[in-house]
Amino acid sequence: MSAINNRTDHYKTIKKTCYIANIAYLILRAFYLILFIVTGVYSMAIYTGATILFYLGCFYLVKKRRYYSYALLCGNEFFAYVITITILCGFASGFHLYLIGLSVVSFFTTYFSKNHRIQGSILWAVLSVGLYIMLFFVTRNNSPKYLFPNWMNVTLMTVHIVVTFLFIVFYLFTFTSYSLSLEKKIMFESRTDELTGINNRYGLYDYFAQEENKYNKVLALFDIDNFKIINDTYGHVAGDFILKRIAEVMKETLKGAFISRYGGEEFIVVVNKDNAYESLESLRKAIENEVIEFEGHKHQITITIGATSYKKEISLEKWIELADEKMYSGKNSGKNKTVI
């Protein structure tokens, strides 16, 4: 289920990014269309108008989740537009700066692609640098066809510097935000027991490392009495159902306490020392009184709890070992009890 959720979030991020990028491209081209009409460069106005229709059509690709086709078409169109407009309007207009932004986009596209082949992004980056250098020398040795006044070139250069900067920041921000959210999910899932939804032993290790007030805590280890008989008689599916219900009872009964599944039918809870026995007894009684029904069979479960307070400078393993000794003392003296 978590893998499905991650994949869904993955595609949501791509889709949202593509929609925002496409809207930005349209706004930019609309600005150029107005600019070329005002300055009387009608051939470039017609060309720019055609690209606006192209980007309007790109919404269909995003809607159909054809993200790779969208990225490929937009990338090639942007390359063609930048090359054409830089040669015709000159290097001083600053259109070539978009080639820097396209390098960032290529790496972003690779990260969200299915095959994650970085070679393609490197090729696009090298191509961008090559085109940048080519445009520099071509425009240096050839006068632009359309000459803008100096104030217009300064304005365009300023706009292109700002837009390119925002272009890069937007993609890096999106990439970073997605990476951080993915990292949080991975950290959470790696410390959560998949069956019961509570902490697993890695979550327990993290808790032990971060808890600063261990001397005021009691660690309790318990398992289900005669659980093997349940598995052998009713099957592991029934056993799993019981484990999940016990985890729910733990969450309902021990609010604010640290709870985890240690493995198999073993659970660990950490409670405050002041009322440790009362808290653990309330858990034991709650489970004992819980009638768990599964596939027409009713199960009344009991647990045996062994608990011990933290001793100076002991390891987590030693703390669990001391609680384990208490638990087996309870097992050997009749089960269904709390030994502390």
Side-chain angles (χ1 to χ4, degrees), residues 214-231:
K214 298 183 184 70
Y215 291 102
N216 193 38
K217 300 293 182 182
V218 167
L219 182 144
L221 173 69
F222 74 85
D223 70 6
I224 302 169
D225 297 328
N226 306 314
F227 189 67
K228 186 177 185 302
I229 296 174
I230 295 173
N231 276 333

Side-chain angles (χ1 to χ4, degrees), residues 36-180:
F36 290 130
I37 291 174
V38 169
T39 54
V41 185
Y42 297 114
S43 58
M44 289 304 301
I46 294 170
Y47 178 25
T48 302
T51 65
I52 289 175
L53 294 176
F54 167 82
Y55 282 108
L56 287 172
C58 283
F59 281 118
Y60 176 79
L61 292 176
V62 178
K63 183 179 179 180
K64 293 297 181 179
R65 296 176 61 175
R66 300 180 66 176
Y67 305 123
Y68 181 76
S69 298
Y70 169 78
L72 191 63
L73 287 171
C74 287
N76 286 318
E77 190 282 330
F78 228 105
F79 269 133
Y81 190 82
V82 168
I83 292 169
T84 303
I85 204 166
T86 302
I87 291 174
L88 293 177
C89 299
F91 206 75
S93 59
F95 285 95
H96 59 281
L97 292 173
Y98 289 133
L99 293 173
I100 300 172
L102 285 174
S103 297
V104 176
V105 176
S106 66
F107 284 98
F108 179 88
T109 304
T110 295
Y111 182 78
F112 285 102
S113 68
K114 292 181 179 179
N115 51 33
H116 296 294
R117 292 178 182 172
I118 200 170
Q119 292 89 342
S121 293
I122 294 173
L123 180 63
W124 276 69
V126 171
L127 181 61
S128 296
V129 172
L131 287 172
Y132 192 100
I133 296 171
M134 181 203 76
L135 289 173
F136 174 76
F137 284 107
V138 168
T139 54
R140 184 182 179 88
N141 297 317
N142 296 277
S143 298
K145 182 177 180 179
Y146 304 112
L147 289 173
F148 293 130
N150 186 58
W151 68 266
M152 180 68 76
N153 279 331
V154 171
T155 302
L156 282 172
M157 180 64 79
T158 303
V159 168
H160 291 144
I161 290 171
V162 172
V163 171
T164 301
F165 176 77
L166 293 175
F167 203 67
I168 293 171
V169 168
F170 167 70
Y171 278 99
L172 291 180
F173 174 79
T174 303
F175 173 80
T176 304
S177 298
Y178 178 77
S179 298
L180 289 175

Side-chain angles (χ1 to χ4, degrees), residues 170-201:
F170 167 70
Y171 278 99
L172 291 180
F173 174 79
T174 303
F175 173 80
T176 304
S177 298
Y178 178 77
S179 298
L180 289 175
S181 66
L182 190 61
E183 182 181 333
K184 287 180 181 178
K185 284 184 179 180
I186 292 171
M187 290 290 287
F188 174 78
E189 290 170 4
S190 68
R191 286 153 177 76
T192 303
D193 179 60
E194 188 175 2
L195 177 66
T196 61
I198 61 176
N199 292 284
N200 59 19
R201 62 172 59 203

